[in-house]
Amino acid sequence: MGRNKSFVKDYMTKNVISVSPDTKTNEVINLMRESHHNSYPVVKEGKLVGMITAFDLVAKKHCEFVEGIMTKKLVVANQDLSINDASRVMFRRGISRMPVINENGELVGIITNTDMVRSHIERSTPNKVEYFKKTLEQLYGIHTTLKHIPVETKKLRPTQDRVYADELEGRAYELEKGLAEPAIVVKTGDRWILVDGHHRAVASSQRGYETVDSYVIDLGQDIKLGMEKTADKAGIKTFDDIEIIDDDKHPLIAITESMQDQESKGDE
């Protein structure tokens, strides 16, 4: 299933209109009218230094140049960040777009909520299920069967060691509204191995739901999957063994203000 994982670089807009710190604010206003965009990255010597938005122009004291009113503290992403992690950070921060930079701090794109929606539509669950089903059949030389059924929550064997608190809230809301996608489960022998949908399953467990809507791939025999062996080594046997992460720290996420502080210290 690794080949199905999508990254920010797969969906971001690459040809981004930007302005410089010494661009006049009146020019930005005209640019917004012409392009119908309400925000622009601010770039100096190739590096991202801020963002100028319609809110900045309306709510802040007027300045002749962008540098005086631009937002300097930004959440930015590396282009190798996964789409799922990018979605999670944007949801938690309440932002609709996130600049994307390379290892040198240079602007390489913008990822938006619209891009997130597009990525999830393209990676529909049935396609993931079919891909994984074929992978198992090729890997073990077997024929499997696929069913869409509810699985008892207490029977599910997790294979992931952590979930994120904010995404749990989102999955809980979807469960309450009947909007949650089915999980992907492999039945091998008498075991029900949870492959995809840990946030949905943990949210179900926390709220006392007796079953989890699932696509179940039945191997028809007892085969110890690699992910099950990995979970054994990590001591992940029940949902109680899964760590719930309550922050949005990620090695491929940064705050521009922190980056600038580090650069200043390096120049001293």
Side-chain angles (χ1 to χ4, degrees):
M1 290 180 67
R3 281 164 39 189
N4 270 6
K5 188 171 183 179
S6 295
F7 300 92
V8 164
K9 61 186 175 185
D10 299 321
Y11 290 93
M12 69 182 187
T13 298
K14 298 179 181 179
N15 298 319
V16 181
I17 300 174
S18 64
V19 298
S20 67
D22 56 4
T23 299
K24 291 186 176 181
T25 54
N26 286 339
E27 293 180 21
V28 176
I29 293 172
N30 290 332
L31 188 59
M32 287 183 178
R33 287 172 179 166
E34 294 171 0
S35 66
H36 302 294
H37 292 304
N38 60 9
S39 64
Y40 297 95
V42 184
V43 175
K44 181 179 181 180
E45 297 178 354
K47 293 190 176 183
L48 179 71
V49 294
M51 182 80 77
I52 180 73
T53 69
F55 178 82
D56 294 324
L57 294 169
V58 173
K60 296 180 180 178
K61 185 178 179 179
H62 176 73
C63 287
E64 184 178 2
F65 300 101
V66 165
E67 187 171 23
I69 60 172
M70 68 182 186
T71 300
K72 297 178 181 178
K73 188 175 181 180
L74 305 175
V75 182
V76 297
N78 182 288
Q79 59 187 344
D80 291 321
L81 181 71
S82 76
I83 280 290
N84 284 344
D85 285 343
S87 299
R88 182 178 60 80
V89 171
M90 290 174 69
F91 172 78
R92 182 167 185 135
R93 293 279 184 167
I95 55 180
S96 60
R97 55 182 53 210
M98 188 161 53
V100 185
I101 60 173
N102 62 18
E103 61 275 8
N104 298 318
E106 297 166 334
L107 181 71
V108 294
I110 289 281
I111 189 78
T112 69
N113 282 344
T114 302
D115 298 324
M116 301 299 179
V117 172
R118 180 166 60 91
S119 74
H120 282 82
I121 289 174
E122 291 179 4
R123 295 180 298 119
S124 60
T125 299
N127 289 341
K128 288 196 293 185
V129 173
E130 188 60 33
Y131 176 81
F132 190 57
K133 181 177 182 292
K134 289 181 179 178
T135 299
L136 289 173
E137 290 177 343
Q138 293 174 359
L139 184 61
Y140 297 107
I142 59 176
H143 174 71
T144 67
T145 57
L146 176 64
K147 295 180 180 179
H148 185 181
I149 59 174
V151 177
E152 288 185 50
T153 308
K154 63 182 180 182
K155 285 185 176 180
L156 290 172
R157 166 69 191 277
T159 56
Q160 185 172 305
D161 63 353
R162 63 182 61 187
V163 294
Y164 294 96
D166 55 344
E167 192 164 340
L168 279 179
E169 293 177 9
R171 298 294 83 77
Y173 174 82
E174 291 174 354
L175 286 167
E176 290 171 5
K177 300 298 182 180
L179 301 174
E181 289 184 352
I184 300 177
V185 176
V186 171
K187 185 176 186 301
T188 174
D190 59 358
R191 301 183 307 285
W192 303 75
I193 310 301
L194 182 60
V195 175
D196 182 76
H198 281 76
H199 285 89
R200 281 159 271 171
V202 172
S204 295
S205 177
Q206 288 180 337
R207 282 154 182 77
Y209 292 159
E210 294 184 356
T211 62
V212 175
D213 185 31
S214 306
Y215 286 111
V216 177
I217 303 171
D218 191 339
L219 303 188
Q221 54 187 290
D222 192 333
I223 299 175
K224 191 85 167 182
L225 301 180
M227 62 181 65
E228 189 180 3
K229 295 177 181 177
T230 301
D232 285 342
K233 292 179 181 178
I236 308 298
K237 297 183 180 298
T238 70
F239 293 125
D240 291 334
D241 299 320
I242 297 177
E243 180 183 7
I244 298 177
I245 308 297
D246 195 21
D247 62 50
D248 59 1
K249 294 179 180 179
H250 194 288
L252 297 178
I253 288 288
I255 308 296
T256 51
E257 191 175 77
S258 302
M259 293 164 56
Q260 292 157 11
D261 289 343
Q262 290 175 5
E263 288 183 1
S264 298
K265 292 179 182 179
D267 293 337
E268 293 176 357

